[in-house]
Every structure is written in structure tokens, then in C-alpha cells.
Amino acid sequence: MALLEVKDLHTSFFTDAGEVRAVNGVSFTLDRGKVLGIVGESGSGKSVTAYSIMQILASTGKIVSGSIKFEGEELVGADEKKMKEIRGNRISIIFQDPMTSLNPTYTIGHQLMEAILLHTNRNKQQAWDRAVEMLRLVNVNEPEKRMKQYPFEFSGGMRQRVMIAMALACEPDILIADEPTTALDVTIQAGILELMKEIQKEMGMAIIMITHDLGVVAQLCDEVVVMYAGSICEQGTADEIFYNPCHEYTKGLLRSIPTTGNEGQRLQPISGTPIDLLNMPRGCAFAPRCDAAMKICINEKCERFLINDNHAAACWMNIKKAKEGGKQ
Amino acid sequence: MSGTNQSSEPLIRVSHLKQYFPISTGFFQTRPLKAVDDISFDIMEGETLGLVGESGCGKTTAGRTILHLYKPTDGEVIYRGKSIRTAKDIEEFRRKATMVFQDPYSSLDPRMTVADIIGEPLDVQHLYKTKEERRERILELMDHVGLNSEHAARYAHEFSGGQRQRVGIARSLAVNPDFIVCDEPVSALDVSIQAQVINMFDELQEKLNLTYLFIAHDLLVVRHISDRIAVMYLGHMVELAGADEIYDRPLHPYTRALISAVPVPDPVQARANQRIPMTGEIPSPLNAPPGCPFHTRCPYAKESCKESMPELREIEKGRFVACHRIEEIG
Ligand SMILES: Nc1ncnc2c1ncn2[C@@H]1O[C@H](COP(=O)(O)OP(=O)(O)OP(=O)(O)O)[C@@H](O)[C@H]1O
Ligand SMILES: Nc1ncnc2c1ncn2[C@@H]1O[C@H](COP(=O)(O)OP(=O)(O)OP(=O)(O)O)[C@@H](O)[C@H]1O
Ligand code: SF4
Ligand SMILES: [Mg+2]
Ligand SMILES: [Mg+2]
């Protein structure tokens, strides 16, 4: 049984301007000890997917349909008591914005210890030791002294590392990391990614890594989900996504970043502007920006083509391949 | 002079530039925060010099001090052979040197139309005679950065991040500069939009013969756009060399650690890469350690590194490194 199974998830925000379909039929599974990367354009629904799993959506947001099973148990429709048990204990999240997620009125140490005492079986002394150890692991210098300081005495990058320490210290089954290292220097980021990987191996923790940085994905992820306009346009193993991309958006994304192969050449940007969820095109959501778009792309939503056992893509370009494959 | 090139006259020569901020440490007492501490380098005409280094190392301060948005604590900036000293020098220099900021969201006034945002520097510097001339210049600038004339009457908040950054760039081009300090100009943009803006910088450079100081934390972006790269650490310049040389064969111990930490968007390469770990305290520019600024984290540090500050030396043609032990560690 998969540790987490998300099936045909639809999440919307009901705003004055209308229903914003932020997540539109997302499905994936996550096994113990695996790292799943979620990439995609800003506004494509990555964070809302994560918030849906945790059920911490804004008050206007609602899971409209679909299923989220944790160890086989349905979470959609579960009561708040059940979700409280899950959050932190079993699934924890590192938020995109570290400024808002620490309480300014308590010391860093207090907040770390509270989380550890609540979510693991440790006494006060052990919790203190664990907190200090975690701070040291995320490169916070003089951790004993830092325990007694308040969030305002920390820089943005340090606060983010405290959040990471806190999430890891709780030893969850699933860690959802929403752009956890965006504000950090690469040298610090590299250390933290390695730390996550170590802890993940040691404890068999699974990670959902939400990021826009394809370098982070390449380094950390076993599997990758690529989102566009609230839906998954492509999913597969990291190697499949990087070396055999089958959706035009993924291909465009990979062509548009500087790498160690295209230096000196012009980058090939994706043209056009990001999608407006209130004005979704009829066919493939990417069609208005896609250089390869065909008539069918403009008129019809694309079905999901299975490229191989480890790879699926929702792009009409695969219909030919699929037909040829079918003939054999 | 260290970090400079003797062969031909540079567009900009930065010489022993310092920027110390007084930080109060109690009543009537201040201590200098050495944000930029004695940096020297040349930027040649038409060149892009990348500037990298960890958060807080002094990149933005260096850029702003070069433009004299901050008065230098010490040292000088020489533009086309002429040192910038007087208020009049600064005023003239400002017409030739501008800045593009990181955040396209907050750096534009939401109550102004795009035309007025772009036109403001024209107004301030009295760069037109008739209203018609002003309008034409604005449309020309918008065309340079790939905005339609129909965008002119719209407000910046109606635009996407990439479009706003274009507006910001058009504005900084208004005075007809030949030198632009680009401070993290693509960091706030979505990856799919970054490439559009990076290409635009490239195209504008060719078309208008611009010279850039390009500050960014994404090393792959910096490598892509730069001819040479300068690496800063704690207010000092520790290495300066060609972009590919720095990336393919970093020499300074800090640059080595930095390059080895870059997450490459390629799983096979990522698995093969060996990161050089850095341990030890990250010092603050208020309490800069004596000797080499990197010695607290450097895997090669020896006793002697704590005693004296290594100078930026040209150790190969066009390659400048500030490390006592560079010859030994190879
Ligand atoms: N509270 C809300 N009310 C209305 N719309 C919302 C709300 N929260 C999110 N959305 C919309 O849902 C969509 C998905 O947002 P989400 O935050 O998941 O994007 P994301 O992929 O995480 O983007 P980013 O990379 O910028 O973090 C966006 O179009 C966003 O505007
Ligand atoms: N106006 C100021 N007054 C006092 N200290 C300042 C001022 N501006 C910057 N500093 C300090 O100077 C140092 C260098 O800051 P600067 O903003 O130049 O760094 P940076 O390299 O641009 O960092 P980042 O990558 O985070 O933008 C930091 O320690 C910063 O706190
Ligand atoms: S001078 Fe010494 S401490 Fe500084 S970088 Fe070189 S070896 Fe390291
Ligand atoms: Mg998000
Ligand atoms: Mg800066």
C-alpha cells in the first residue's frame, strides 16, 4: 500500500470574481522513503496541492472532489481531530514563507522543544538536546545560545533553517517542503538538501519537495510531477523527466534554463504569459503558449498518455507515438 | 593595481573602494560595518561582469557605491579615465550609469502609468524639448524591451512580473546610459519568464553597446550572461576570472566550495558531483576575523592565514585570486 495516495483531487477557491480552480484533477502516489518533486510555474497549484493534503486551506478554499489516502485511510472529509493527529506527527510541512510561521513572542528554543515534545516520545532534557542537535545540523552557529533568542534576532535565512530543523525534528512519515531553500545561499542549501536526504534514508521518511529549481529536483528527487494550470501535465521518474520529456511545457522549461551545455547560446524561452485560471482555454491549457500546438490541442483537453511504466504525459504530441506503439 | 587590467582603458575602474556603515553600539558609540572593504577591478566597455557571493557579502552595496548612490567611505570610481569626485561629476555620471532592481513588484509606483514610469527620468533630466519628442522616446524605449505601444497607458500593477521587469529596464534605459548595474534582475521571476528577460539583456547589450555589472545568486544564470565573474566574500573580492574558467576550474577555496554546491539540473551529473563541505562559523562583517576573511570556514586554512590578509593577485593571465596558499593547494 502506498504511504500517500492522491486521486483526482480538485480544489477551488470561491472568490468574488468566480470559482478559481486551483487544483484540477491531480493524482499521484508516494511510497515510504521516496522523494517526490513537484515543479511548475508560479500559480500552477503546487502549494494548494500541499495545503489540500494538510487541509490547511484558506477559508474560501475547498476540496471539491477527489481522495487523499494516508496509509489507506481517507483524509478527505476527516474531522479536525483526525487531521490534528496527522499534522506534525505524521505529515509536516515547511512553509514557503518562513516569516509567518514562527511565533514572534516565544524563543526559538521554546518553539522547537514544544514541537519535539508534542510529536515525539522525549522528555524535556532529551527534547532540548535534540533541538540543539537539529540547529547544529542546519548550520545555525552557537546553537545553545541561539535557543534562547527570539525570531526577530534571526535573519530570514536562519529562520528558514529553524523551520527546517523543526519539521525534521518531529520525525514525520511525510515531510512536505514548499520551496524550503529558496531564500538560502547555495552552499547552505546544499548542506540542507544533504541533511534531508540523510534523515530521509535513516528514518525512511518520504518527502514531497515543491520547488521551481530544477537543479534541486535533479539532486534530490526520485520521481517528479510537473504541474501546469492546476493539472499534472507530466509525471515520471526524474531521469525520464530530464532525459525524455514528453510534454511541450516540460520540454520548454528544460530548454529555457542555463545549463552546462548551452552556455554562449541564446536561451530558448517559453513565449507568452502565465495562465489566467479564471479564463482557461478549452483545449490543452498550455496550447496558447505552445509552439507545437496542433488543431486538436486547441479544441480538446488532452488525455493522459502512458509513455512507459515509469512515465505519463498529457500532451497530444504523444498520440502519434501511442498509435505507433499500439500497432506493434 | 590588483584586479585591474593594464592593456586598454576600461569603461569603469573601481579602485580600493570601501563602504563602511556606522552601526551604533550604544549611546554615542558606533562601530563600522565593513560592507565593502577595499575592492578593485575594471569593467571593459561592452562587457558583462558577473558579481556573486553569499547573502550579505556586499554585492548590492558595491553596486550602489559604484553608482555613488552611497558616498564611498574611501577609494574611487573612474569612468572613462575620469575620477568621479565632485557633485557635478556625480550628476553627469548618473546620466551614464543606472541601476535595475531585483523586485519588479515594489520598485514601480502602482499609481503611475507605464508611460509615466518610463518618462520620469526624461522629465527629471530634461531630456526632451517637446511633448511629442517625449512620447516618441518612451515608445522607442518600450520597443527596446518588447512592450507594445498599447501598454503605455496601463498601470504597472496590471502586468506580470516579467512585464514589470521590462518596464523597470526601459526606465533605466531612458537616460541613454552605457553602464547598468543589474541587481538580481531575474531572481523574482518565474523560471519560464527568466529566459525571456535574460535574452533581452543580451539583445539590448548588442544593440546599445551596454556594459553590465550583473549581480545574481544563481550561478548558472551569471555564468550564462557574464564574460567574467567576480566573487565576493565578506566585503572582499576573493577571485576574478573569465566566466567559464571560474565555473570549470575555480581556484579560491571559497569559489571551489561555492561552485561545487551549485545544483545542476541534470540527475546524472548531480549524482556524480562531490560537494566540498564547508564547516565553521560564518563571520559577520561587524566582526570580521583578522587575516583571510575565509579562514574560519576554509578547509585549507593554516595558522598564517589568520595573521595577514591575502591580497588579490594575478596568478595566471587575467586570473586574480586572494589566497595565501593558492600555489600550494594547486
Ligand atoms: N486564498 C486564495 N484565494 C483565491 N485564489 C487562490 C488562493 N490561494 C491560491 N489561489 C490561486 O490558486 C492558484 C494556485 O496557487 P498556488 O499557491 O498553489 O501556486 P504555486 O504553484 O504554489 O505557485 P508559486 O510557485 O508562486 O508558489 C493560483 O492561481 C492562486 O492565485
Ligand atoms: N544601509 C545600510 N546600513 C547598514 N548596514 C547595511 C546597509 N546596507 C547593507 N548593510 C549591511 O552590509 C552588508 C552587505 O549587504 P548587501 O546588501 O550589500 O549584501 P548582498 O551581497 O547584496 O546580499 P544579498 O545577496 O542578500 O542581497 C550586510 O551585512 C548588510 O547587513
Ligand atoms: S588564505 Fe588561507 S584561509 Fe584564506 S582561502 Fe587561502 S588557504 Fe583558505
Ligand atoms: Mg507555492
Ligand atoms: Mg543584494
Side-chain angles (χ1 to χ4, degrees):
Chain A
M1 187 202 322
L3 181 61
L4 183 75
E5 187 173 6
V6 177
K7 230 186 193 149
D8 204 23
L9 178 70
H10 286 79
T11 301
S12 290
F13 293 93
F14 296 89
T15 68
D16 295 344
E19 179 182 354
V20 179
R21 297 195 175 149
V23 174
N24 232 325
V26 161
S27 306
F28 61 83
T29 58
L30 177 65
D31 290 321
R32 225 168 255 290
K34 290 283 180 209
V35 184
L36 172 77
I38 303 185
V39 296
E41 196 155 56
S42 182
S44 60
K46 305 181 296 293
S47 294
V48 174
T49 300
Y51 297 169
S52 301
I53 295 168
M54 301 289 279
Q55 294 189 29
I56 46 173
L57 293 160
S59 58
T60 51
K62 192 172 177 290
I63 296 177
V64 179
S65 63
S67 145
I68 299 168
K69 285 192 176 139
F70 177 71
E71 293 184 320
E73 197 177 344
E74 183 61 64
L75 297 185
V76 174
D79 58 15
E80 188 52 26
K81 184 165 159 272
K82 172 85 208 161
M83 285 316 297
K84 275 218 171 101
E85 244 174 69
I86 297 275
R87 283 184 218 126
N89 269 339
R90 315 297 309 275
I91 310 179
S92 36
I93 183 164
I94 304 168
F95 287 101
Q96 202 164 352
D97 179 8
M99 303 307 165
T100 55
S101 29
L102 283 170
N103 188 328
T105 57
Y106 291 108
T107 61
I108 295 291
H110 179 100
Q111 299 186 57
L112 270 170
M113 283 185 54
E114 189 179 65
I116 294 168
L117 289 170
L118 191 66
H119 299 304
T120 66
N121 291 319
R122 284 188 167 84
N123 65 30
K124 269 202 149 154
Q125 184 55 48
Q126 290 167 326
W128 172 271
D129 294 343
R130 175 76 174 157
V132 171
E133 181 195 344
M134 292 311 300
L135 284 180
R136 187 169 291 123
L137 285 174
V138 295
N139 282 31
V140 170
N141 54 25
E142 300 182 85
E144 279 97 356
K145 214 153 107 194
R146 294 294 189 178
M147 289 283 282
K148 295 178 196 133
Q149 292 185 322
Y150 290 87
F152 75 87
E153 296 174 79
F154 281 52
S155 72
M158 276 162 76
R159 271 183 267 196
Q160 183 64 312
R161 282 178 273 155
V162 170
M163 293 305 302
I164 293 167
M166 195 177 293
L168 291 174
C170 296
E171 299 167 10
D173 297 271
I174 301 175
L175 174 69
I176 302 178
D178 193 356
E179 308 263 8
T181 54
T182 312
L184 305 178
D185 287 313
V186 285
T187 52
I188 305 273
Q189 165 176 290
I192 285 185
L193 295 180
E194 275 163 24
L195 174 69
M196 279 188 176
K197 205 149 199 179
E198 249 164 58
I199 294 185
Q200 173 244 340
K201 278 214 187 98
E202 228 168 74
M203 311 189 320
M205 178 177 74
I207 300 178
I208 298 178
M209 175 59 93
I210 299 174
T211 178
H212 64 268
D213 188 334
L214 291 167
V216 171
V217 175
Q219 194 150 332
L220 204 66
C221 300
D222 305 300
E223 272 156 54
V224 184
V225 159
V226 186
M227 288 188 73
Y228 191 82
S231 306
I232 292 178
C233 59
E234 179 158 15
Q235 64 197 118
T237 58
D239 284 17
E240 281 287 323
I241 298 293
F242 277 92
Y243 303 129
N244 181 28
C246 289
H247 191 286
E248 289 304 308
Y249 171 68
T250 318
K251 289 185 205 169
L253 194 62
L254 289 167
R255 275 196 300 259
S256 73
I257 50 170
T259 58
T260 48
N262 64 2
E263 67 277 330
Q265 299 162 26
R266 281 275 143 84
L267 299 172
Q268 295 182 42
I270 298 175
S271 55
T273 48
I275 192 122
D276 174 4
L277 287 180
L278 286 168
N279 277 309
M280 288 279 276
R282 183 156 43 121
C284 168
F286 188 59
R289 296 172 72 185
C290 180
D291 294 330
M294 306 170 288
K295 222 186 236 159
I296 191 170
C297 307
I298 293 156
N299 293 322
E300 275 178 60
K301 283 247 159 346
C302 185
E303 50 193 278
R304 190 168 170 274
F305 291 103
L306 209 58
I307 311 294
N308 58 44
D309 290 347
N310 299 319
H311 192 174
C315 170
W316 284 117
M317 291 298 279
N318 299 293
I319 192 167
K320 238 173 91 201
K321 271 189 245 163
K323 275 193 182 143
E324 281 161 8
K327 269 185 216 147
Q328 283 167 3
Chain B
M1 192 190 301
S2 52
T4 54
N5 182 326
Q6 311 289 319
S7 58
S8 57
E9 183 171 289
L11 182 77
I12 302 269
R13 168 163 288 179
V14 174
S15 174
H16 300 289
L17 197 67
K18 293 182 186 169
Q19 184 62 49
Y20 294 177
F21 294 112
I23 298 292
S24 96
T25 52
F27 290 111
F28 311 115
Q29 281 186 348
T30 60
R31 216 166 63 200
L33 184 152
K34 301 182 177 177
V36 170
D37 200 7
D38 196 351
I39 58 172
S40 299
F41 55 91
D42 285 352
I43 310 180
M44 308 311 285
E45 186 153 19
E47 180 186 41
T48 300
L49 179 68
L51 185 57
V52 301
E54 65 196 352
S55 178
C57 73
K59 305 180 294 295
T60 298
T61 306
R64 299 187 74 111
T65 309
I66 290 169
L67 292 184
H68 285 68
L69 297 171
Y70 296 145
K71 187 177 181 301
T73 307
D74 199 7
E76 62 178 347
V77 176
I78 298 160
Y79 171 73
R80 291 195 190 274
K82 188 171 181 298
S83 177
I84 295 158
R85 292 174 199 278
T86 64
K88 189 158 162 286
D89 294 342
I90 293 174
E91 197 194 313
E92 270 167 26
F93 182 50
R94 289 266 174 76
R95 243 177 258 149
K96 289 289 152 201
T98 57
M99 189 144 180
V100 172
F101 297 94
Q102 166 171 11
D103 189 353
Y105 298 91
S106 63
S107 59
L108 302 176
D109 186 337
R111 291 156 306 177
M112 282 167 78
T113 63
V114 165
D116 285 334
I117 290 171
I118 298 171
E120 194 177 42
L122 299 175
D123 304 339
V124 172
Q125 306 265 8
H126 313 293
L127 293 178
Y128 55 86
K129 291 191 191 72
T130 63
K131 274 252 143 29
E132 184 53 30
E133 204 183 318
R134 179 181 188 265
R135 208 184 78 89
E136 265 169 26
R137 177 75 180 132
I138 289 171
L139 291 181
E140 183 192 21
L141 288 164
M142 290 178 65
D143 185 54
H144 279 332
V145 298
L147 291 170
N148 292 325
S149 53
E150 65 209 51
H151 288 136
R154 291 171 62 183
Y155 292 90
H157 68 84
E158 297 169 35
F159 284 175
S160 68
Q163 286 173 318
R164 280 186 240 211
Q165 198 52 289
R166 286 170 198 270
V167 174
I169 293 160
R171 178 186 159 94
S172 65
L173 290 174
V175 294
N176 233 333
D178 45 28
F179 175 60
I180 304 183
V181 173
C182 312
D183 192 4
E184 306 266 8
V186 298
S187 312
L189 302 177
D190 191 80
V191 196
S192 73
I193 305 299
Q194 275 189 9
Q196 294 178 11
V197 177
I198 292 170
N199 282 355
M200 191 187 57
F201 274 110
D202 272 340
E203 282 154 21
L204 285 172
Q205 179 162 50
E206 280 168 26
K207 202 151 72 179
L208 305 173
N209 191 29
L210 297 171
T211 303
Y212 297 137
L213 178 65
F214 196 94
I215 302 171
H217 65 263
D218 185 331
L219 277 143
L220 288 167
V221 167
V222 175
R223 181 204 191 184
H224 185 88
I225 200 154
S226 306
D227 300 299
R228 293 186 300 149
I229 295 178
V231 185
M232 280 183 77
Y233 188 82
L234 213 66
H236 299 273
M237 187 152 291
V238 296
E239 185 158 3
L240 173 64
D244 289 344
E245 278 97 69
I246 287 254
Y247 197 90
D248 296 333
R249 197 169 58 92
L251 290 180
H252 191 280
Y254 172 65
T255 318
R256 293 182 196 201
L258 185 67
I259 299 290
S260 79
V262 173
V264 280
D266 181 328
V268 168
Q269 232 180 310
R271 273 174 232 137
N273 275 5
Q274 272 297 319
R275 188 172 73 90
I276 303 168
M278 268 198 294
T279 49
E281 303 274 305
I282 305 172
S284 124
L286 254 181
N287 280 315
C292 172
F294 189 52
H295 84 245
T296 57
R297 294 162 83 196
C298 179
Y300 304 100
K302 272 196 167 163
E303 261 328 290
S304 58
C305 298
K306 297 179 193 166
E307 281 151 21
S308 67
M309 168 91 68
E311 238 183 271
L312 193 69
R313 293 178 288 141
E314 185 164 19
I315 62 152
E316 287 167 22
K317 185 155 175 26
R319 265 210 105 145
F320 299 85
V321 179
C323 169
H324 289 310
R325 306 199 57 215
I326 191 65
E327 281 84 8
E328 290 164 71
I329 62 184

